[in-house]
Amino acid sequence: MKPLRIGLLGIGTVGGGTFDVLTRNAEEISRRAGRPITVIKVAARNEAKARRVVPASVPVTPDFLSVARDAEIDVIVESLGGTEPAKSVILEAIAHGKHVVTANKALLALHGNEIFAAARAKGVIVAFEAAVAGGIPIIKALREGLVANRIEWIAGIINGTTNFILSEMRGKGLSFADVLTTAQAKGYAEADPTFDIEGVDAGHKISILAAIAFGIPLSFEKAHVEGITKIEAKDIRYAEEMGYRIKLLGIARRREAGIELRVHPTLIPAKRLIANVEGVMNAVLVKGDAVGATLYYGAGAGANPTASAVIADLVDVARLIDADASHRVPYLAFQHDRIGTEPVLSMDDVETSYYLRLRVDDKPGVLADITRVLADNHISIDAMLQKEPEEGEAQADIILLTHETIEKNVKRAIAAIEAQASTSGKIVLLRLENLA
Ligand code: NDP
Ligand code: HSE
């Protein structure tokens, strides 16, 4: 059978890994796809660099749009990253009737609604397994394997860089900056690593998962996004003492009033499997009403794991290329004319549990004042830890864990406690999920 002809755009970590694995496993992939999958052209702005991976038999061009328009090409693999030129090239390829495989979650989270509409109009596939959780086939699991379920919530460690940083800081006592440099050298981090450490990359990914899980439009702009840069070593320590690990979680949860969509550092009971996911590994917990909780685990970044996902998409294209477009799996799992209108909830309306760290005077009555404010705001305490004041200090750290409550109540309580003369500085707020 005639090969599926690929135009590969960008040949960095993901593009290079894809080229390598396609070459290395060509025979096995062809037996599964029913036809060979062959890169016939590569677009790269630096040919010398591309030639470290691409043999002389495959042409390399700096003209990305020419690949998108090339009549010989069936599918483009976009592994450039960012918005431009990636978006223009993808739309041009779609306009020329080409299928698209992309690892670019930033582009999909921000412009996916437009890209999928263009692809639907042309009857072409846009596949993006690599965009979320690297090598874990979570898109396929949610879009196909779990279709019988009403999804209740998703909670995932979906950024390898931050999980690697938190693991190395906790396990080896290394500094944040040193670990970030290592993550960059290993090819895990985004071109702009602030996307990783400030939670933006995880925000892109959870927005994609939420759209597929709940049948809502891609809504990254409504997600709450908070990274790990403010996490202090003592919070990691205190959390451990109370039986918890801190992980950067992407969370999407269906509530009666709408959808919670949030990324933030989260305390998780240390006994949960997901709390023990370390290094660049990712894991996604999905709770469906019929199946219960299912957990997906694997490498969330890096050349080979991401190539595994990109090539899975290419094999899907090879198998479906001759099928009628109306028989294909919808891009975001739900039929496009059945997309829901549930609102994304503001953080004030989110319901979860909290870790609060306060610095207070070590004297009688202080704790009573604090608990009174919490009770006035309908916040129930689940656990408490009081640390001895350091030698020569008159103040101590108190850590409170709350039961589930509404975030606006917690914010109101924090403002009232911070106003008390016995409390100094800002109260540290982290969220806690039991994931039971
Ligand atoms: P790299 O930086 O390693 O590679 C990007 C490639 O695209 C390079 O060849 C680069 O050229 C080229 N490129 C980037 N910007 C431009 C531009 N403006 N014009 C022309 N060429 C450009 O990135 P990754 O491979 O890590 O990431 C690619 C995509 O895959 C991103 O969307 C990323 O989010 C996603 N992804 C990455 C994963 C990973 O583990 N790294 C995992 C999952 C998804 P040059 O070499 O000249 O800079
Ligand atoms: N920068 C991303 C991460 C790459 O660290 O998870 C994989 O999407």
Side-chain angles (χ1 to χ4, degrees), residues 105 130-131 133-134 158-162 188-190 196 201 205 282 300-301:
K105 56 270 172 164
I158 45 180
N159 182 268
T161 302
T162 44
Y188 305 152
E190 296 302 304
D196 295 295
D201 177 70
K205 292 168 177 166
N282 280 194

Side-chain angles (χ1 to χ4, degrees), residues 229-248:
T229 48
K230 296 194 190 104
I231 296 289
E232 289 183 38
K234 68 159 120 177
D235 292 312
I236 296 179
R237 219 170 45 240
Y238 293 161
E240 293 257 341
E241 283 178 38
M242 300 179 91
Y244 293 85
R245 294 264 165 87
I246 299 180
K247 296 286 181 188
L248 185 72

Side-chain angles (χ1 to χ4, degrees), residues 185-209:
K186 285 177 180 280
Y188 305 152
E190 296 302 304
D192 177 356
T194 57
F195 270 38
D196 295 295
I197 60 181
E198 296 297 357
V200 177
D201 177 70
H204 292 148
K205 292 168 177 166
I206 195 69
S207 308
I208 295 172
L209 292 183

Side-chain angles (χ1 to χ4, degrees), residues 307-334:
S308 166
V310 168
I311 296 167
D313 280 345
L314 287 173
V315 171
D316 271 355
V317 175
R319 289 169 172 163
L320 291 169
I321 197 162
D322 298 323
D324 188 285
S326 64
H327 295 151
R328 297 191 190 125
V329 180
Y331 307 109
L332 294 172
F334 288 71

